[in-house]
Amino acid sequence: MDLGIRGKRALVCASSKGLGRGCAEALAQAGVDLVMNARGAEALETTAQEIRDAHGVEVTTVAADVTTEAGRARVLEASGQVDILVTNAGGPPPGMWTDWDRDDFIAALDANMLTPIALIKALVPGMCERGWGRVVNITSVSVKAPIPVLGLSNSARAGLTGYVAGTARQVAPQGVVMNNLQPGLHATDRAAALDAGASKAQGITVEQAQAQREATIPVGRYGTRQEFGATCAFMCSQHAGFMIGQNILLDGGATNTTM
Ligand code: NAP
């Protein structure tokens, strides 16, 4: 399917690895020029070059922490005018509800709610003026079904989801399509770290830990970054013009809900 976005320009945050990388690759495959970001310059440059070589699109890189004001300013300066924004960053740490005080919540809100909102506020006015734009926020399955040890993530991402639900309706008349993409378990470095943690805690092998978690997914495996990226690219395409303020769950059927 031709996504109809060849020649557009996208900012994909936190995209040297994992789900952000999957989104960057799928957009590049559709002919979109990219601004890519991550904190570590080396992996970012390597991924950017692989994408340039594979897809022949223009890729600008900004090594910066997108959750800080200074980092965001550098990312936005390099981005200039973009048609597509994919927000992403690392998730907050796990714990018990008794572990977190005000500062922990402020940090989580800064990273996973106020950072995407700041990027939206900086870039969506230009999209509205030009009459076309796409925003995809990478959130989490935890918005639909809470993950108890990720209370900080549950809270911050639910806050972003509420903001997007209203804002998407305000910008839709100007041709801007804004939605959230909710990952369930995907085969990224983060999933590997969780498997390693479970292996250590339970005294089992990493393979056994992975098999245990895969058994909770009806599809019987983790999702791939390519599947995730392809869905993101569709949500950024010309064909997504009637999809407004939605939360698209990609979890292999793991969340047992009717809607
Ligand atoms: P990942 O494989 O660890 O990749 C994270 C990417 O983001 C890397 O490129 C990393 O590069 C970059 N990054 C992290 N923090 C950043 C920051 N502050 N500023 C700029 N770049 C940053 O993680 P992932 O699995 O793709 O997860 C992406 C998001 O989806 C996370 O918020 C995660 O909580 C959420 N999620 C993931 C899953 C899953 O199963 N994978 C499920 C639900 C939710 P640097 O480290 O070099 O900055």
Side-chain angles (χ1 to χ4, degrees), residues 14 16-17 19 38-40 65-66 88-91 157 183-184 186 188 190:
S16 66
K17 299 176 187 168
L19 304 179
R39 291 164 303 180
D65 184 341
V66 74
N88 187 28
R157 296 187 198 277
H186 282 74
T188 66
R190 190 169 170 280

Side-chain angles (χ1 to χ4, degrees), residues 19 137-142 147 181-186 228 248-251:
L19 304 179
N137 303 292
I138 299 180
T139 63
S140 174
V141 61
S142 72
I147 301 170
L181 190 43
Q182 301 176 314
L185 288 171
H186 282 74
F228 191 86
I248 306 300
L249 180 62
L250 279 186
D251 72 343

